[in-house]
Amino acid sequence: MTDVGIDGIEVWTGKLQLDLAETFAPAQGEEPGKFTKGLGLYASSLPDVYEDIVTMAANASHDLMERKGLEPEDIGRIDVATESAFDHSKPVSTYVAGCLEQVYDDDFHHANKGERKFACISGTQALDDAYNWIRAGRNRDRAALVIATDTALYARDDPGEATQGAGAVAMLIDEDPDVVAFSTEQGYGSADETDFLKPNQQFPSVDGKRSVQVYLARMREALEDFEAAGGDTHPDNFAFIPFHTPFPGMVRKAAGLGYRHCIRGTDVEEQLADEIGRQPRKEAFDGEDEYFEAIKEYTDSLTETDHYLDWYERTVDPTLDISREVGNWYTGSVHIARVSGLIRALDEGWDITGKELLVGSYGSGAQAEIHAETIQDGWEEEISALTINEQIDARYDLSFDEYEEIHDVHNHDAETDIEPRTTPDGEFAFDGWGRMGERKYTYVE
Ligand code: HMG
């Protein structure tokens, strides 16, 4: 069976940054350590006045198509995953195609376009749709363009405000991919949950503490389902484990619990037995509370061992480099975690061709999905073409007053008109509203 997976990838960050320690913390009367150490975040990326989910998606897609030497006729499908859509009917992918048609001679009339919604996990679901479309033999040698794009804004003073972010990830899904090939094995953990939702409102209603517990519970179910599907979960068998990253502290919690689950009954549990004992087994306890207490104590000891810390530094920490600087990109978050790990491997000269990734996606409401990916021969060339670190360094650093104004600019219920802080240059920019309330875009040379 021919491999199907990610053949190319491009990342576009919002062009403004809010420094959490220097700017946000003092204005909120918080200790900087709450954000940098507790959440693991240093800055948020935010969109400038002329940026939104369409411009970021179109700019990432345009860069990707140019780099891969593609024309519209090479694309048979455009799927956008977002939870920041501004229209209940017309999908964002039509706007993105409209933008791209401004810069190509040809059009995308032959491409099937859609929009995927399930909180942050919809980016991975759109990859899955593309994979199935190709596997079903319906692609007629064409690739799918999958774009995860979000402006992840919270209401002012919501506890989630520190985790905001904005950016887009465009991925080309094709046969014989250059970056990673997807496994057929998948695991799901899915339940009707009320932890984070936007019932006809722009900013989410969030039960933050509960959302953390739901993330962990659904991720665990997905891991068990992936194991039941025959997937390998020995943590030492993976180059990286990219997780959905609302903030790096969330991944730190998930990694410790996941590692403990996955080493149960393996050589690693044996190796560590002298140092921290074996994992408590449920059968040995009279009540659930005692068992959970014992498991918690074991996990705390485990995550302090050199063995675990070495694994975390090698397998998880590299996936958080970008997230620390940009915040939560919702649908794009797990995809920047993958990119982040691959950039670190390139910078360090690690030989990871043929190695596996275990990818843990998650969306509130709630669903987790786990699948594996095999790193392909062409990954180094693809990853070395990325400019995300240069984009991060080039962002305009907002004062707190400017941040308040920019938040209002992107708040659908606030009226404000301010000058952009950056200048569009060779990119798509928002250009006002049309006669039916549609958003208009121009390519700025
Ligand atoms: P909070 O309640 O303001 O923060 O917001 P906190 O008091 O829990 O502190 C956070 C951490 O910082 C804690 O660490 C503190 O101890 C530590 P923990 O105990 O958790 O390990 N801390 C400090 N550390 C060092 N120095 C200090 C200091 N002070 C405190 N001085 C909360 C936290 C997650 C609730 C908030 O950010 C929130 O509501 N976020 C939005 C929801 C969210 O991101 N949930 C994550 C799981 S759900 C998900 O991922 C889906 C999502 O992406 C949406 C989707 O799918 O569409 C959100």
Side-chain angles (χ1 to χ4, degrees), residues 31 33-34 38 83 119-120 159 196 208-209 211 244 246 253 328 363-364:
E31 285 291 315
K34 173 169 173 180
E83 51 181 298
C120 302
F196 172 110
K209 302 283 184 218
S211 74
H244 167 57
K253 286 186 213 289
N328 191 355
S364 283

Side-chain angles (χ1 to χ4, degrees), residues 31 33-34 37-39 83 119-120 154 158-160 163 196 206 208-209 211-212 215 244 246-247 250 253 328 330 362-364:
E31 285 291 315
K34 173 169 173 180
K37 295 199 178 72
L39 298 179
E83 51 181 298
C120 302
Y154 287 77
D158 185 286
T163 69
F196 172 110
V206 195
K209 302 283 184 218
S211 74
V212 169
Y215 177 117
H244 167 57
F247 51 92
M250 180 73 245
K253 286 186 213 289
N328 191 355
Y330 288 160
Y362 176 75
S364 283

Side-chain angles (χ1 to χ4, degrees), residues 208-373:
K209 302 283 184 218
R210 188 168 146 62
S211 74
V212 169
Q213 294 313 315
V214 176
Y215 177 117
L216 296 172
R218 302 288 80 81
M219 204 60 104
R220 183 197 168 102
E221 275 176 0
L223 196 58
E224 287 167 349
D225 195 43
F226 181 68
E227 285 164 343
D232 174 21
T233 57
H234 194 302
D236 294 347
N237 291 350
F238 297 97
F240 298 116
I241 305 192
F243 284 91
H244 167 57
T245 312
F247 51 92
M250 180 73 245
V251 172
R252 201 166 52 224
K253 286 186 213 289
L257 293 175
Y259 194 84
R260 200 253 308 133
H261 174 89
C262 292
I263 62 163
R264 203 176 177 89
T266 69
D267 52 326
V268 180
E269 186 184 13
E270 277 312 301
Q271 275 171 44
L272 294 173
D274 283 348
E275 196 180 338
I276 56 169
R278 286 199 173 71
Q279 295 198 21
R281 266 41 180 193
K282 208 171 187 167
E283 315 76 80
F285 292 83
D286 292 335
E288 278 214 324
D289 290 352
E290 291 87 341
Y291 170 63
F292 288 139
E293 191 49 42
I295 276 282
K296 188 179 173 314
E297 265 175 44
Y298 177 87
T299 311
D300 289 346
S301 309
L302 173 68
T303 53
E304 281 165 17
T305 61
D306 288 344
H307 186 96
Y308 176 82
L309 292 170
D310 283 351
W311 171 83
Y312 185 87
E313 278 303 304
R314 201 176 58 246
T315 313
V316 180
D317 185 72
T319 69
L320 305 175
D321 291 343
I322 299 177
S323 163
R324 276 190 268 271
E325 302 298 334
V326 303
N328 191 355
W329 285 10
Y330 288 160
T331 54
S333 275
V334 67
H335 307 295
I336 52 175
R338 180 198 292 106
V339 162
S340 181
L342 295 174
I343 291 179
R344 180 86 83 89
L346 187 76
D347 290 349
E348 301 285 340
W350 292 337
D351 178 12
I352 53 167
T353 306
K355 297 215 165 113
E356 302 270 303
L357 306 179
L358 188 66
V359 181
S361 303
Y362 176 75
S364 283
Q367 180 160 301
E369 188 261 11
I370 292 195
H371 69 266
E373 298 178 357

Side-chain angles (χ1 to χ4, degrees), residues 2-8 172-182 374 376-378:
T2 319
D3 284 331
V4 175
I6 302 177
D7 192 47
L172 191 73
I173 310 308
D174 206 353
E175 291 169 281
D176 291 323
D178 285 342
V179 185
V180 291
F182 300 145
T374 309
Q376 302 294 295
D377 282 341

